[in-house]
Amino acid sequence: NEGLKYARGRYIARMDSDDISFKNRLSLQLSYLQSHPNVKILGTEYFIHENQHLTYFKLPTKSEDVNVLLAFGCCIRHSTAVFERRAIEKGYSSYYNLMEDYYLWVSNIGICKMENLRVPLLIHQKRSNSVTGQYCNDKISVLNQFKTIQELALKKLTILLPEQIDSFSSLLRRLYTSESCARDAYIEYREIIRQIPIKQRIYPHLY
């Protein structure tokens, strides 16, 4: 937030100090944002560098897919993001200090378009002694913040009926256990949404 106070340009580009951006990253993102004025937040796919190995992370690209998948985790890599300054005028939340980027993206669901480019433009250096790594050592606090933000995303994506709250609560509990559980829960999530009357859905065409 301190840096945002001094920013005067239309766009803000994020990057962690030890990550590596490809030379054409900013030019590609800026060109895309200028040709797609409805998109206000734009990330990219990326590599993670850990133990001398590179792992390629593919991400959803379309705004509608990004919105839905934000209910299952942070699918915009913070250090790849370029966004219009006006889209984050309120700044980052100090309350969600361990997941401020995830909360920022979720808070923009239904407010502005968020997308990812279908190309890796950054190498993220994964180190246990990084600031993020040190924060993540407080796993209980991280998990609590993750749950709260995830529930907010689910509520923004649909209007819950009283009889559906228990189903969603059970679903959320399973989302926190493993990747395979998350995939199963995502399938169940779509089934629950299908039972909700179309007029109550924010994104009816996705289901």
mmCIF file of all heavy atoms in Angstrom, residues 23-70:
data_model
loop_
_atom_site.group_PDB
_atom_site.id
_atom_site.type_symbol
_atom_site.label_atom_id
_atom_site.label_comp_id
_atom_site.label_asym_id
_atom_site.label_seq_id
_atom_site.Cartn_x
_atom_site.Cartn_y
_atom_site.Cartn_z
ATOM 1 N N LYS A 23 11.696 -10.856 -20.845
ATOM 2 C CA LYS A 23 11.929 -9.512 -21.370
ATOM 3 C C LYS A 23 10.674 -8.892 -21.982
ATOM 4 O O LYS A 23 10.498 -7.671 -21.949
ATOM 5 C CB LYS A 23 13.056 -9.545 -22.405
ATOM 6 C CG LYS A 23 14.431 -9.804 -21.802
ATOM 7 C CD LYS A 23 15.500 -9.778 -22.875
ATOM 8 C CE LYS A 23 16.875 -10.022 -22.269
ATOM 9 N NZ LYS A 23 17.942 -10.001 -23.313
ATOM 10 N N ASN A 24 9.844 -9.725 -22.577
ATOM 11 C CA ASN A 24 8.663 -9.194 -23.268
ATOM 12 C C ASN A 24 7.416 -9.194 -22.396
ATOM 13 O O ASN A 24 6.314 -8.942 -22.896
ATOM 14 C CB ASN A 24 8.397 -9.988 -24.545
ATOM 15 C CG ASN A 24 8.163 -11.474 -24.264
ATOM 16 O OD1 ASN A 24 8.525 -11.975 -23.192
ATOM 17 N ND2 ASN A 24 7.575 -12.176 -25.227
ATOM 18 N N ARG A 25 7.564 -9.489 -21.116
ATOM 19 C CA ARG A 25 6.381 -9.614 -20.247
ATOM 20 C C ARG A 25 5.528 -8.347 -20.232
ATOM 21 O O ARG A 25 4.330 -8.379 -20.531
ATOM 22 C CB ARG A 25 6.809 -9.953 -18.810
ATOM 23 C CG ARG A 25 5.627 -10.047 -17.863
ATOM 24 C CD ARG A 25 6.005 -9.930 -16.394
ATOM 25 N NE ARG A 25 4.883 -9.437 -15.628
ATOM 26 C CZ ARG A 25 4.967 -8.949 -14.396
ATOM 27 N NH1 ARG A 25 6.132 -8.898 -13.785
ATOM 28 N NH2 ARG A 25 3.896 -8.508 -13.792
ATOM 29 N N LEU A 26 6.122 -7.231 -19.877
ATOM 30 C CA LEU A 26 5.342 -5.999 -19.717
ATOM 31 C C LEU A 26 4.769 -5.511 -21.045
ATOM 32 O O LEU A 26 3.634 -5.020 -21.089
ATOM 33 C CB LEU A 26 6.192 -4.914 -19.067
ATOM 34 C CG LEU A 26 6.619 -5.184 -17.623
ATOM 35 C CD1 LEU A 26 7.430 -4.013 -17.070
ATOM 36 C CD2 LEU A 26 5.400 -5.437 -16.734
ATOM 37 N N SER A 27 5.522 -5.651 -22.116
ATOM 38 C CA SER A 27 5.016 -5.181 -23.414
ATOM 39 C C SER A 27 3.811 -6.011 -23.852
ATOM 40 O O SER A 27 2.835 -5.464 -24.385
ATOM 41 C CB SER A 27 6.119 -5.247 -24.472
ATOM 42 O OG SER A 27 6.577 -6.579 -24.653
ATOM 43 N N LEU A 28 3.841 -7.327 -23.611
ATOM 44 C CA LEU A 28 2.711 -8.184 -23.984
ATOM 45 C C LEU A 28 1.485 -7.879 -23.122
ATOM 46 O O LEU A 28 0.365 -7.804 -23.627
ATOM 47 C CB LEU A 28 3.096 -9.653 -23.841
ATOM 48 C CG LEU A 28 4.059 -10.222 -24.885
ATOM 49 C CD1 LEU A 28 4.413 -11.667 -24.561
ATOM 50 C CD2 LEU A 28 3.445 -10.137 -26.284
ATOM 51 N N GLN A 29 1.685 -7.710 -21.834
ATOM 52 C CA GLN A 29 0.553 -7.436 -20.951
ATOM 53 C C GLN A 29 -0.046 -6.066 -21.216
ATOM 54 O O GLN A 29 -1.268 -5.908 -21.243
ATOM 55 C CB GLN A 29 0.971 -7.572 -19.484
ATOM 56 C CG GLN A 29 1.203 -9.022 -19.060
ATOM 57 C CD GLN A 29 1.571 -9.143 -17.601
ATOM 58 O OE1 GLN A 29 2.730 -8.962 -17.247
ATOM 59 N NE2 GLN A 29 0.600 -9.463 -16.756
ATOM 60 N N LEU A 30 0.812 -5.080 -21.407
ATOM 61 C CA LEU A 30 0.308 -3.733 -21.678
ATOM 62 C C LEU A 30 -0.458 -3.696 -22.995
ATOM 63 O O LEU A 30 -1.533 -3.092 -23.082
ATOM 64 C CB LEU A 30 1.462 -2.736 -21.706
ATOM 65 C CG LEU A 30 1.074 -1.271 -21.895
ATOM 66 C CD1 LEU A 30 0.157 -0.805 -20.771
ATOM 67 C CD2 LEU A 30 2.328 -0.392 -21.957
ATOM 68 N N SER A 31 0.067 -4.350 -24.013
ATOM 69 C CA SER A 31 -0.609 -4.396 -25.307
ATOM 70 C C SER A 31 -1.982 -5.049 -25.183
ATOM 71 O O SER A 31 -2.966 -4.562 -25.768
ATOM 72 C CB SER A 31 0.255 -5.164 -26.315
ATOM 73 O OG SER A 31 -0.419 -5.330 -27.539
ATOM 74 N N TYR A 32 -2.060 -6.137 -24.401
ATOM 75 C CA TYR A 32 -3.338 -6.832 -24.230
ATOM 76 C C TYR A 32 -4.337 -5.942 -23.480
ATOM 77 O O TYR A 32 -5.512 -5.851 -23.864
ATOM 78 C CB TYR A 32 -3.131 -8.137 -23.472
ATOM 79 C CG TYR A 32 -4.369 -9.001 -23.396
ATOM 80 C CD1 TYR A 32 -4.642 -9.926 -24.401
ATOM 81 C CD2 TYR A 32 -5.275 -8.890 -22.348
ATOM 82 C CE1 TYR A 32 -5.785 -10.719 -24.354
ATOM 83 C CE2 TYR A 32 -6.419 -9.677 -22.288
ATOM 84 C CZ TYR A 32 -6.662 -10.588 -23.285
ATOM 85 O OH TYR A 32 -7.806 -11.373 -23.236
ATOM 86 N N LEU A 33 -3.896 -5.297 -22.419
ATOM 87 C CA LEU A 33 -4.792 -4.438 -21.647
ATOM 88 C C LEU A 33 -5.308 -3.281 -22.490
ATOM 89 O O LEU A 33 -6.477 -2.893 -22.386
ATOM 90 C CB LEU A 33 -4.063 -3.902 -20.404
ATOM 91 C CG LEU A 33 -3.824 -4.914 -19.282
ATOM 92 C CD1 LEU A 33 -2.836 -4.362 -18.264
ATOM 93 C CD2 LEU A 33 -5.142 -5.285 -18.597
ATOM 94 N N GLN A 34 -4.472 -2.722 -23.325
ATOM 95 C CA GLN A 34 -4.887 -1.588 -24.152
ATOM 96 C C GLN A 34 -5.861 -2.010 -25.246
ATOM 97 O O GLN A 34 -6.719 -1.225 -25.654
ATOM 98 C CB GLN A 34 -3.652 -0.922 -24.760
ATOM 99 C CG GLN A 34 -2.811 -0.186 -23.724
ATOM 100 C CD GLN A 34 -1.525 0.378 -24.291
ATOM 101 O OE1 GLN A 34 -1.014 -0.110 -25.301
ATOM 102 N NE2 GLN A 34 -1.000 1.411 -23.650
ATOM 103 N N SER A 35 -5.746 -3.259 -25.705
ATOM 104 C CA SER A 35 -6.657 -3.740 -26.744
ATOM 105 C C SER A 35 -7.901 -4.417 -26.163
ATOM 106 O O SER A 35 -8.818 -4.756 -26.902
ATOM 107 C CB SER A 35 -5.926 -4.708 -27.684
ATOM 108 O OG SER A 35 -5.448 -5.828 -26.975
ATOM 109 N N HIS A 36 -7.917 -4.621 -24.850
ATOM 110 C CA HIS A 36 -9.073 -5.190 -24.161
ATOM 111 C C HIS A 36 -9.396 -4.297 -22.952
ATOM 112 O O HIS A 36 -9.094 -4.642 -21.806
ATOM 113 C CB HIS A 36 -8.787 -6.622 -23.687
ATOM 114 C CG HIS A 36 -8.508 -7.585 -24.790
ATOM 115 N ND1 HIS A 36 -7.273 -7.649 -25.429
ATOM 116 C CD2 HIS A 36 -9.287 -8.524 -25.395
ATOM 117 C CE1 HIS A 36 -7.305 -8.586 -26.355
ATOM 118 N NE2 HIS A 36 -8.515 -9.132 -26.362
ATOM 119 N N PRO A 37 -9.989 -3.126 -23.204
ATOM 120 C CA PRO A 37 -10.189 -2.134 -22.132
ATOM 121 C C PRO A 37 -11.080 -2.597 -20.996
ATOM 122 O O PRO A 37 -11.041 -2.003 -19.906
ATOM 123 C CB PRO A 37 -10.805 -0.936 -22.878
ATOM 124 C CG PRO A 37 -11.363 -1.517 -24.144
ATOM 125 C CD PRO A 37 -10.469 -2.650 -24.514
ATOM 126 N N ASN A 38 -11.881 -3.634 -21.204
ATOM 127 C CA ASN A 38 -12.727 -4.128 -20.119
ATOM 128 C C ASN A 38 -11.944 -4.968 -19.107
ATOM 129 O O ASN A 38 -12.419 -5.201 -17.992
ATOM 130 C CB ASN A 38 -13.878 -4.966 -20.674
ATOM 131 C CG ASN A 38 -14.898 -4.119 -21.415
ATOM 132 O OD1 ASN A 38 -15.051 -2.930 -21.119
ATOM 133 N ND2 ASN A 38 -15.581 -4.701 -22.384
ATOM 134 N N VAL A 39 -10.763 -5.433 -19.500
ATOM 135 C CA VAL A 39 -9.923 -6.210 -18.584
ATOM 136 C C VAL A 39 -9.096 -5.227 -17.749
ATOM 137 O O VAL A 39 -8.343 -4.421 -18.291
ATOM 138 C CB VAL A 39 -8.993 -7.171 -19.350
ATOM 139 C CG1 VAL A 39 -8.071 -7.917 -18.381
ATOM 140 C CG2 VAL A 39 -9.822 -8.155 -20.168
ATOM 141 N N LYS A 40 -9.233 -5.306 -16.438
ATOM 142 C CA LYS A 40 -8.547 -4.379 -15.545
ATOM 143 C C LYS A 40 -7.398 -5.029 -14.773
ATOM 144 O O LYS A 40 -6.512 -4.338 -14.282
ATOM 145 C CB LYS A 40 -9.549 -3.781 -14.536
ATOM 146 C CG LYS A 40 -10.762 -3.132 -15.176
ATOM 147 C CD LYS A 40 -10.380 -1.983 -16.094
ATOM 148 C CE LYS A 40 -11.611 -1.288 -16.670
ATOM 149 N NZ LYS A 40 -11.252 -0.233 -17.641
ATOM 150 N N ILE A 41 -7.432 -6.352 -14.640
ATOM 151 C CA ILE A 41 -6.392 -7.089 -13.918
ATOM 152 C C ILE A 41 -5.941 -8.239 -14.807
ATOM 153 O O ILE A 41 -6.762 -9.035 -15.256
ATOM 154 C CB ILE A 41 -6.916 -7.622 -12.575
ATOM 155 C CG1 ILE A 41 -7.312 -6.454 -11.665
ATOM 156 C CG2 ILE A 41 -5.876 -8.509 -11.889
ATOM 157 C CD1 ILE A 41 -8.026 -6.880 -10.380
ATOM 158 N N LEU A 42 -4.637 -8.317 -15.078
ATOM 159 C CA LEU A 42 -4.132 -9.320 -16.013
ATOM 160 C C LEU A 42 -2.881 -10.000 -15.458
ATOM 161 O O LEU A 42 -1.873 -9.354 -15.189
ATOM 162 C CB LEU A 42 -3.796 -8.660 -17.360
ATOM 163 C CG LEU A 42 -3.288 -9.593 -18.458
ATOM 164 C CD1 LEU A 42 -4.388 -10.549 -18.909
ATOM 165 C CD2 LEU A 42 -2.782 -8.773 -19.654
ATOM 166 N N GLY A 43 -2.978 -11.318 -15.306
ATOM 167 C CA GLY A 43 -1.824 -12.114 -14.915
ATOM 168 C C GLY A 43 -1.332 -12.923 -16.095
ATOM 169 O O GLY A 43 -1.801 -12.757 -17.220
ATOM 170 N N THR A 44 -0.389 -13.811 -15.845
ATOM 171 C CA THR A 44 0.113 -14.695 -16.888
ATOM 172 C C THR A 44 0.381 -16.070 -16.264
ATOM 173 O O THR A 44 0.407 -16.227 -15.053
ATOM 174 C CB THR A 44 1.435 -14.181 -17.507
ATOM 175 O OG1 THR A 44 2.532 -14.467 -16.618
ATOM 176 C CG2 THR A 44 1.378 -12.692 -17.782
ATOM 177 N N GLU A 45 0.602 -17.040 -17.125
ATOM 178 C CA GLU A 45 1.081 -18.317 -16.637
ATOM 179 C C GLU A 45 2.556 -18.152 -16.244
ATOM 180 O O GLU A 45 3.181 -17.136 -16.562
ATOM 181 C CB GLU A 45 0.894 -19.387 -17.709
ATOM 182 C CG GLU A 45 -0.585 -19.627 -17.992
ATOM 183 C CD GLU A 45 -0.846 -20.700 -19.032
ATOM 184 O OE1 GLU A 45 0.059 -20.968 -19.862
ATOM 185 O OE2 GLU A 45 -1.944 -21.274 -19.025
ATOM 186 N N TYR A 46 3.118 -19.142 -15.568
ATOM 187 C CA TYR A 46 4.468 -18.942 -15.029
ATOM 188 C C TYR A 46 5.144 -20.282 -14.742
ATOM 189 O O TYR A 46 4.511 -21.340 -14.767
ATOM 190 C CB TYR A 46 4.395 -18.114 -13.739
ATOM 191 C CG TYR A 46 3.613 -18.761 -12.616
ATOM 192 C CD1 TYR A 46 4.253 -19.474 -11.602
ATOM 193 C CD2 TYR A 46 2.219 -18.674 -12.575
ATOM 194 C CE1 TYR A 46 3.534 -20.076 -10.580
ATOM 195 C CE2 TYR A 46 1.498 -19.268 -11.561
ATOM 196 C CZ TYR A 46 2.151 -19.963 -10.570
ATOM 197 O OH TYR A 46 1.429 -20.563 -9.567
ATOM 198 N N PHE A 47 6.424 -20.201 -14.468
ATOM 199 C CA PHE A 47 7.201 -21.349 -14.013
ATOM 200 C C PHE A 47 7.544 -21.162 -12.536
ATOM 201 O O PHE A 47 7.739 -20.031 -12.085
ATOM 202 C CB PHE A 47 8.520 -21.481 -14.788
ATOM 203 C CG PHE A 47 8.361 -21.806 -16.242
ATOM 204 C CD1 PHE A 47 8.402 -20.804 -17.202
ATOM 205 C CD2 PHE A 47 8.190 -23.119 -16.657
ATOM 206 C CE1 PHE A 47 8.270 -21.104 -18.549
ATOM 207 C CE2 PHE A 47 8.056 -23.434 -18.006
ATOM 208 C CZ PHE A 47 8.093 -22.418 -18.951
ATOM 209 N N ILE A 48 7.625 -22.269 -11.809
ATOM 210 C CA ILE A 48 8.185 -22.247 -10.459
ATOM 211 C C ILE A 48 9.543 -22.934 -10.495
ATOM 212 O O ILE A 48 9.673 -24.046 -11.017
ATOM 213 C CB ILE A 48 7.257 -22.932 -9.439
ATOM 214 C CG1 ILE A 48 6.120 -21.987 -9.047
ATOM 215 C CG2 ILE A 48 8.032 -23.343 -8.184
ATOM 216 C CD1 ILE A 48 5.253 -22.483 -7.917
ATOM 217 N N HIS A 49 10.531 -22.265 -9.962
ATOM 218 C CA HIS A 49 11.886 -22.816 -9.898
ATOM 219 C C HIS A 49 12.152 -23.271 -8.461
ATOM 220 O O HIS A 49 12.150 -22.468 -7.543
ATOM 221 C CB HIS A 49 12.910 -21.755 -10.311
ATOM 222 C CG HIS A 49 14.322 -22.256 -10.278
ATOM 223 N ND1 HIS A 49 15.299 -21.678 -9.519
ATOM 224 C CD2 HIS A 49 14.911 -23.314 -10.919
ATOM 225 C CE1 HIS A 49 16.434 -22.334 -9.678
ATOM 226 N NE2 HIS A 49 16.223 -23.326 -10.521
ATOM 227 N N GLU A 50 12.345 -24.553 -8.292
ATOM 228 C CA GLU A 50 12.590 -25.103 -6.961
ATOM 229 C C GLU A 50 13.496 -26.325 -7.091
ATOM 230 O O GLU A 50 13.252 -27.216 -7.906
ATOM 231 C CB GLU A 50 11.266 -25.509 -6.299
ATOM 232 C CG GLU A 50 11.419 -26.041 -4.886
ATOM 233 C CD GLU A 50 10.084 -26.407 -4.263
ATOM 234 O OE1 GLU A 50 9.106 -26.623 -5.020
ATOM 235 O OE2 GLU A 50 10.000 -26.488 -3.027
ATOM 236 N N ASN A 51 14.548 -26.347 -6.282
ATOM 237 C CA ASN A 51 15.495 -27.475 -6.280
ATOM 238 C C ASN A 51 16.020 -27.788 -7.680
ATOM 239 O O ASN A 51 16.071 -28.936 -8.105
ATOM 240 C CB ASN A 51 14.834 -28.726 -5.680
ATOM 241 C CG ASN A 51 14.416 -28.522 -4.231
ATOM 242 O OD1 ASN A 51 15.092 -27.809 -3.485
ATOM 243 N ND2 ASN A 51 13.290 -29.120 -3.855
ATOM 244 N N GLN A 52 16.381 -26.747 -8.409
ATOM 245 C CA GLN A 52 16.982 -26.883 -9.740
ATOM 246 C C GLN A 52 16.000 -27.408 -10.797
ATOM 247 O O GLN A 52 16.426 -27.846 -11.877
ATOM 248 C CB GLN A 52 18.220 -27.801 -9.689
ATOM 249 C CG GLN A 52 19.273 -27.369 -8.684
ATOM 250 C CD GLN A 52 19.785 -25.956 -8.954
ATOM 251 O OE1 GLN A 52 20.089 -25.629 -10.095
ATOM 252 N NE2 GLN A 52 19.878 -25.141 -7.915
ATOM 253 N N HIS A 53 14.704 -27.382 -10.501
ATOM 254 C CA HIS A 53 13.702 -27.858 -11.458
ATOM 255 C C HIS A 53 12.700 -26.745 -11.771
ATOM 256 O O HIS A 53 12.353 -25.942 -10.898
ATOM 257 C CB HIS A 53 12.950 -29.069 -10.909
ATOM 258 C CG HIS A 53 13.805 -30.295 -10.758
ATOM 259 N ND1 HIS A 53 14.245 -31.038 -11.832
ATOM 260 C CD2 HIS A 53 14.301 -30.902 -9.646
ATOM 261 C CE1 HIS A 53 14.975 -32.054 -11.399
ATOM 262 N NE2 HIS A 53 15.035 -31.986 -10.077
ATOM 263 N N LEU A 54 12.247 -26.714 -13.017
ATOM 264 C CA LEU A 54 11.208 -25.773 -13.434
ATOM 265 C C LEU A 54 9.895 -26.515 -13.629
ATOM 266 O O LEU A 54 9.846 -27.545 -14.299
ATOM 267 C CB LEU A 54 11.584 -25.089 -14.746
ATOM 268 C CG LEU A 54 12.614 -23.964 -14.684
ATOM 269 C CD1 LEU A 54 12.901 -23.456 -16.098
ATOM 270 C CD2 LEU A 54 12.135 -22.824 -13.808
ATOM 271 N N THR A 55 8.825 -25.987 -13.031
ATOM 272 C CA THR A 55 7.485 -26.557 -13.190
ATOM 273 C C THR A 55 6.587 -25.514 -13.829
ATOM 274 O O THR A 55 6.517 -24.369 -13.368
ATOM 275 C CB THR A 55 6.890 -26.981 -11.837
ATOM 276 O OG1 THR A 55 7.778 -27.885 -11.192
ATOM 277 C CG2 THR A 55 5.535 -27.648 -12.025
ATOM 278 N N TYR A 56 5.915 -25.894 -14.894
ATOM 279 C CA TYR A 56 5.062 -24.976 -15.649
ATOM 280 C C TYR A 56 3.648 -24.994 -15.063
ATOM 281 O O TYR A 56 3.039 -26.047 -14.947
ATOM 282 C CB TYR A 56 5.054 -25.397 -17.117
ATOM 283 C CG TYR A 56 4.170 -24.588 -18.042
ATOM 284 C CD1 TYR A 56 3.888 -23.247 -17.799
ATOM 285 C CD2 TYR A 56 3.629 -25.156 -19.178
ATOM 286 C CE1 TYR A 56 3.099 -22.514 -18.651
ATOM 287 C CE2 TYR A 56 2.840 -24.430 -20.053
ATOM 288 C CZ TYR A 56 2.575 -23.111 -19.775
ATOM 289 O OH TYR A 56 1.779 -22.380 -20.628
ATOM 290 N N PHE A 57 3.126 -23.820 -14.718
ATOM 291 C CA PHE A 57 1.779 -23.713 -14.160
ATOM 292 C C PHE A 57 0.843 -23.075 -15.183
ATOM 293 O O PHE A 57 1.026 -21.919 -15.564
ATOM 294 C CB PHE A 57 1.797 -22.884 -12.875
ATOM 295 C CG PHE A 57 2.158 -23.685 -11.659
ATOM 296 C CD1 PHE A 57 3.473 -24.068 -11.436
ATOM 297 C CD2 PHE A 57 1.194 -24.084 -10.750
ATOM 298 C CE1 PHE A 57 3.816 -24.822 -10.335
ATOM 299 C CE2 PHE A 57 1.523 -24.837 -9.643
ATOM 300 C CZ PHE A 57 2.843 -25.212 -9.432
ATOM 301 N N LYS A 58 -0.135 -23.853 -15.624
ATOM 302 C CA LYS A 58 -1.166 -23.342 -16.520
ATOM 303 C C LYS A 58 -2.315 -22.795 -15.680
ATOM 304 O O LYS A 58 -2.646 -23.342 -14.625
ATOM 305 C CB LYS A 58 -1.658 -24.444 -17.446
ATOM 306 C CG LYS A 58 -0.591 -24.978 -18.385
ATOM 307 C CD LYS A 58 -1.172 -25.939 -19.404
ATOM 308 C CE LYS A 58 -2.017 -25.203 -20.425
ATOM 309 N NZ LYS A 58 -2.459 -26.082 -21.530
ATOM 310 N N LEU A 59 -2.921 -21.726 -16.163
ATOM 311 C CA LEU A 59 -3.981 -21.058 -15.413
ATOM 312 C C LEU A 59 -5.172 -20.778 -16.320
ATOM 313 O O LEU A 59 -5.040 -20.748 -17.545
ATOM 314 C CB LEU A 59 -3.451 -19.725 -14.846
ATOM 315 C CG LEU A 59 -2.334 -19.833 -13.805
ATOM 316 C CD1 LEU A 59 -1.729 -18.465 -13.544
ATOM 317 C CD2 LEU A 59 -2.857 -20.443 -12.513
ATOM 318 N N PRO A 60 -6.356 -20.561 -15.728
ATOM 319 C CA PRO A 60 -7.513 -20.169 -16.548
ATOM 320 C C PRO A 60 -7.236 -18.809 -17.179
ATOM 321 O O PRO A 60 -6.602 -17.951 -16.565
ATOM 322 C CB PRO A 60 -8.658 -20.103 -15.537
ATOM 323 C CG PRO A 60 -7.983 -19.820 -14.225
ATOM 324 C CD PRO A 60 -6.682 -20.576 -14.296
ATOM 325 N N THR A 61 -7.716 -18.614 -18.388
ATOM 326 C CA THR A 61 -7.454 -17.358 -19.089
ATOM 327 C C THR A 61 -8.686 -16.455 -19.162
ATOM 328 O O THR A 61 -8.568 -15.240 -18.993
ATOM 329 C CB THR A 61 -6.944 -17.634 -20.515
ATOM 330 O OG1 THR A 61 -7.906 -18.440 -21.215
ATOM 331 C CG2 THR A 61 -5.606 -18.354 -20.471
ATOM 332 N N LYS A 62 -9.846 -17.016 -19.407
ATOM 333 C CA LYS A 62 -11.056 -16.211 -19.568
ATOM 334 C C LYS A 62 -11.560 -15.696 -18.222
ATOM 335 O O LYS A 62 -11.455 -16.371 -17.202
ATOM 336 C CB LYS A 62 -12.146 -17.032 -20.261
ATOM 337 C CG LYS A 62 -11.810 -17.417 -21.696
ATOM 338 C CD LYS A 62 -12.944 -18.191 -22.332
ATOM 339 C CE LYS A 62 -12.628 -18.566 -23.774
ATOM 340 N NZ LYS A 62 -13.730 -19.351 -24.393
ATOM 341 N N SER A 63 -12.130 -14.502 -18.268
ATOM 342 C CA SER A 63 -12.602 -13.857 -17.040
ATOM 343 C C SER A 63 -13.587 -14.726 -16.270
ATOM 344 O O SER A 63 -13.511 -14.841 -15.046
ATOM 345 C CB SER A 63 -13.251 -12.510 -17.390
ATOM 346 O OG SER A 63 -13.748 -11.881 -16.229
ATOM 347 N N GLU A 64 -14.528 -15.355 -16.993
ATOM 348 C CA GLU A 64 -15.544 -16.172 -16.326
ATOM 349 C C GLU A 64 -14.911 -17.363 -15.605
ATOM 350 O O GLU A 64 -15.310 -17.714 -14.491
ATOM 351 C CB GLU A 64 -16.580 -16.665 -17.340
ATOM 352 C CG GLU A 64 -17.427 -15.562 -17.965
ATOM 353 C CD GLU A 64 -16.754 -14.927 -19.176
ATOM 354 O OE1 GLU A 64 -15.574 -15.284 -19.454
ATOM 355 O OE2 GLU A 64 -17.384 -14.072 -19.824
ATOM 356 N N ASP A 65 -13.914 -17.980 -16.230
ATOM 357 C CA ASP A 65 -13.245 -19.121 -15.608
ATOM 358 C C ASP A 65 -12.421 -18.684 -14.404
ATOM 359 O O ASP A 65 -12.363 -19.379 -13.387
ATOM 360 C CB ASP A 65 -12.353 -19.834 -16.627
ATOM 361 C CG ASP A 65 -13.149 -20.457 -17.754
ATOM 362 O OD1 ASP A 65 -14.311 -20.828 -17.513
ATOM 363 O OD2 ASP A 65 -12.614 -20.570 -18.872
ATOM 364 N N VAL A 66 -11.763 -17.540 -14.525
ATOM 365 C CA VAL A 66 -10.987 -17.013 -13.400
ATOM 366 C C VAL A 66 -11.896 -16.785 -12.202
ATOM 367 O O VAL A 66 -11.580 -17.162 -11.071
ATOM 368 C CB VAL A 66 -10.269 -15.706 -13.791
ATOM 369 C CG1 VAL A 66 -9.693 -15.008 -12.555
ATOM 370 C CG2 VAL A 66 -9.161 -15.982 -14.795
ATOM 371 N N ASN A 67 -13.053 -16.163 -12.445
ATOM 372 C CA ASN A 67 -13.990 -15.886 -11.352
ATOM 373 C C ASN A 67 -14.397 -17.156 -10.621
ATOM 374 O O ASN A 67 -14.393 -17.208 -9.384
ATOM 375 C CB ASN A 67 -15.235 -15.184 -11.893
ATOM 376 C CG ASN A 67 -14.984 -13.738 -12.250
ATOM 377 O OD1 ASN A 67 -14.007 -13.139 -11.794
ATOM 378 N ND2 ASN A 67 -15.840 -13.164 -13.060
ATOM 379 N N VAL A 68 -14.763 -18.185 -11.387
ATOM 380 C CA VAL A 68 -15.221 -19.426 -10.771
ATOM 381 C C VAL A 68 -14.086 -20.115 -10.016
ATOM 382 O O VAL A 68 -14.254 -20.551 -8.874
ATOM 383 C CB VAL A 68 -15.819 -20.380 -11.826
ATOM 384 C CG1 VAL A 68 -16.073 -21.756 -11.231
ATOM 385 C CG2 VAL A 68 -17.121 -19.806 -12.366
ATOM 386 N N LEU A 69 -12.914 -20.187 -10.629
ATOM 387 C CA LEU A 69 -11.817 -20.924 -10.013
ATOM 388 C C LEU A 69 -11.207 -20.187 -8.825
ATOM 389 O O LEU A 69 -10.496 -20.786 -8.022
ATOM 390 C CB LEU A 69 -10.759 -21.253 -11.060
ATOM 391 C CG LEU A 69 -11.232 -22.283 -12.093
ATOM 392 C CD1 LEU A 69 -10.174 -22.505 -13.162
ATOM 393 C CD2 LEU A 69 -11.569 -23.608 -11.426
ATOM 394 N N LEU A 70 -11.487 -18.892 -8.691
ATOM 395 C CA LEU A 70 -11.043 -18.178 -7.496
ATOM 396 C C LEU A 70 -11.715 -18.723 -6.235
ATOM 397 O O LEU A 70 -11.224 -18.523 -5.132
ATOM 398 C CB LEU A 70 -11.321 -16.678 -7.624
ATOM 399 C CG LEU A 70 -10.285 -15.875 -8.416
ATOM 400 C CD1 LEU A 70 -10.782 -14.462 -8.656
ATOM 401 C CD2 LEU A 70 -8.945 -15.855 -7.700
#
